Amino acid sequence: MSDTSTLLRQQLQQLEAELRAASLWSAQPPSEEAMASAMPFMYDTLQIEEWLQWVFVPRLHALLDANAGLPGSCSVHPLAEHEWTNRLPHGTHGAALQLLADIDATLTKA
């Protein structure tokens, strides 16, 4: 496994832990209808934390597991920052935001 793959896997595990700690991780998956959205980030049917949990993290793990090519760039952090800053109490999501910035940087360098 490459250094990038190892780093990304660690970042994804840390992201999950931080989302759980911030109570942004759900035990219930979204409906099939919500998951069928064709909009970027499924923003019309999911909140950003749902998209991270049910789409972003699993897809990146699947790419890593298959030794497939990773996205050449990533810009999830700005959307999460916008969404959470407007909706969540200040500070509850700071560590998750930093991890998203780190993941964006890792994928953009890969």
Side-chain angles (χ1 to χ4, degrees):
M1 187 179 298
S2 74
D3 290 342
T4 299
S5 296
T6 300
L7 175 60
L8 183 57
R9 197 173 294 276
Q10 290 170 347
Q11 290 170 329
L12 292 171
Q13 290 168 346
Q14 290 172 339
L15 177 61
E16 178 179 341
E18 290 301 331
L19 291 172
R20 286 179 185 276
S23 298
L24 296 171
W25 196 264
S26 175
Q28 295 296 323
S31 69
E32 287 184 35
E33 294 82 18
M35 293 296 288
S37 171
M39 300 300 288
F41 303 100
M42 298 177 176
Y43 73 85
D44 60 332
T45 59
L46 300 179
Q47 294 192 349
I48 186 65
E49 60 270 16
E50 293 172 311
W51 180 82
L52 289 167
Q53 178 181 352
W54 301 104
V55 178
F56 184 72
V57 171
R59 285 187 183 171
L60 287 177
H61 275 300
L63 290 173
L64 291 168
D65 291 345
N67 291 319
L70 296 170
S73 67
C74 186
S75 297
V76 176
H77 173 267
L79 177 62
E81 182 176 45
H82 172 76
E83 291 294 319
W84 290 338
T85 299
N86 291 325
R87 187 168 42 89
L88 300 178
H90 183 70
T92 60
H93 53 283
L97 277 177
Q98 182 57 56
L99 282 163
L100 286 172
D102 295 345
I103 291 168
D104 283 354
T106 298
L107 288 171
T108 300
K109 287 188 232 175

